[in-house]
């Protein structure tokens, strides 16, 4: 197929939906296994790796479908839009999860996270003042990331993070035409 036969909007929408729904499914499985799983550092890292890997895979598939070459700027645009669609899906899902499916989930996550944070800080020998200040920040952060208003207010930072991830994924997706160094 050539670039003219491919509907760009359809391809980027499919990629964004696939990445977003994969992330939602991954989160639902973790939620069903154990809420504590959702608070583990490796869970966030694994979700990030899956998102990056899937975006790269879908970007390379798109590149192949349009003729094997795509510039860095085109691959950045594809990655950014796909991940932005995924991000919106994630925000909608989080609002539903924390406000409809399990309204008490944010308190459970807050309690687990605070316990882990206090244990870690105590193992480092931190003072009570440092522990109290850190716990206050953790609680505020969880409140900001589990309420509808908090999720929407943090979206500019999320989009900035997506832009940085898109720069990374674009490095793997782009493929320029080879330029011969031979002079005729």
């Amino acid at each position: 197929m050539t670039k003219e036969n491919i509907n760009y909007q359809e391809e980027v929408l499919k990629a964004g939906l696939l990445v977003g729904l994969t992330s939602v499914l991954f989160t639902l499985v973790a939620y069903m296994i154990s809420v504590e799983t959702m608070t583990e550092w490796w869970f966030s890292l694994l979700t990030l790796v899956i998102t990056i890997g899937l975006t790269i895979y879908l970007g390379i598939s798109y590149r192949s479908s349009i003729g094997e070459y795509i510039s860095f700027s085109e691959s950045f645009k594809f990655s950014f839009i796909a991940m932005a669609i995924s991000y919106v899906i994630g925000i909608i899902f989080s609002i539903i999860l924390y406000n409809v499916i399990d309204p008490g989930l944010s308190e459970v996550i807050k309690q687990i996270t605070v316990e882990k944070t206090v244990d870690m800080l105590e193992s480092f020998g931190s003072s009570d003042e440092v522990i109290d200040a850190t716990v206050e920040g953790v609680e505020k952060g969880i409140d900001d990331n589990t309420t509808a208003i908090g999720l929407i207010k943090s979206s500019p930072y999320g989009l900035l993070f997506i832009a940085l991830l898109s720069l990374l994924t674009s490095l793997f997706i782009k493929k320029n035409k080879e330029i011969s160094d031979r002079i005729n």
Side-chain angles (χ1 to χ4, degrees):
M1 290 190 155
T2 63
K3 196 172 187 174
E4 291 77 31
N5 297 342
I6 302 295
N7 183 338
Y8 176 79
Q9 288 87 4
E10 185 178 303
E11 293 300 314
V12 76
L13 179 63
K14 281 194 299 190
L17 288 173
L18 186 59
V19 173
L21 293 176
T22 300
S23 179
V24 165
L25 181 63
F26 197 64
T27 302
L28 274 176
V29 168
Y31 172 73
M32 289 187 293
I33 291 172
S34 167
V35 172
E36 193 164 332
T37 303
M38 296 171 65
T39 65
E40 298 289 343
W41 66 269
W42 57 263
F43 177 75
S44 297
L45 183 63
L46 186 58
T47 303
L48 182 63
V49 168
I50 289 170
T51 298
I52 290 170
L54 191 54
T55 302
I56 290 170
Y57 173 78
L58 294 169
I60 290 172
S61 294
Y62 172 71
R63 180 188 76 198
S64 296
S65 69
I66 62 169
E68 281 301 315
Y69 298 106
I70 187 171
S71 69
F72 180 82
S73 63
E74 289 173 330
S75 62
F76 174 79
K77 180 179 166 186
F78 181 89
S79 294
F80 182 79
I81 294 172
M83 283 196 266
I85 291 168
S86 171
Y87 184 63
V88 169
I89 290 169
I91 288 175
I92 292 168
F93 172 71
S94 293
I95 290 170
I96 292 169
L97 178 64
Y98 291 112
N99 296 292
V100 177
I101 296 172
D102 192 348
L105 180 61
S106 62
E107 287 302 316
V108 173
I109 288 176
K110 189 187 306 184
Q111 179 184 359
I112 293 168
T113 306
V114 166
E115 287 172 8
K116 287 181 179 183
T117 302
V118 168
D119 289 345
M120 181 187 67
L121 291 172
E122 285 176 347
S123 73
F124 292 148
S126 298
S127 68
D128 288 341
E129 295 82 25
V130 169
I131 292 173
D132 291 343
T134 304
V135 165
E136 185 178 317
V138 166
E139 288 176 338
K140 182 180 179 338
I142 291 171
D143 288 340
D144 289 347
N145 289 321
T146 57
T147 63
I149 299 294
L151 287 164
I152 292 167
K153 282 172 46 177
S154 68
S155 60
Y157 299 109
L159 290 174
L160 178 62
F161 184 67
I162 287 170
L164 294 173
L165 286 181
S166 296
L167 289 171
L168 174 69
T169 58
S170 298
L171 293 172
F172 294 96
I173 298 169
K174 75 167 182 73
K175 185 174 182 184
N176 297 323
K177 292 181 180 176
E178 294 180 18
I179 300 173
S180 173
D181 59 351
R182 191 173 132 198
I183 299 175
N184 292 334

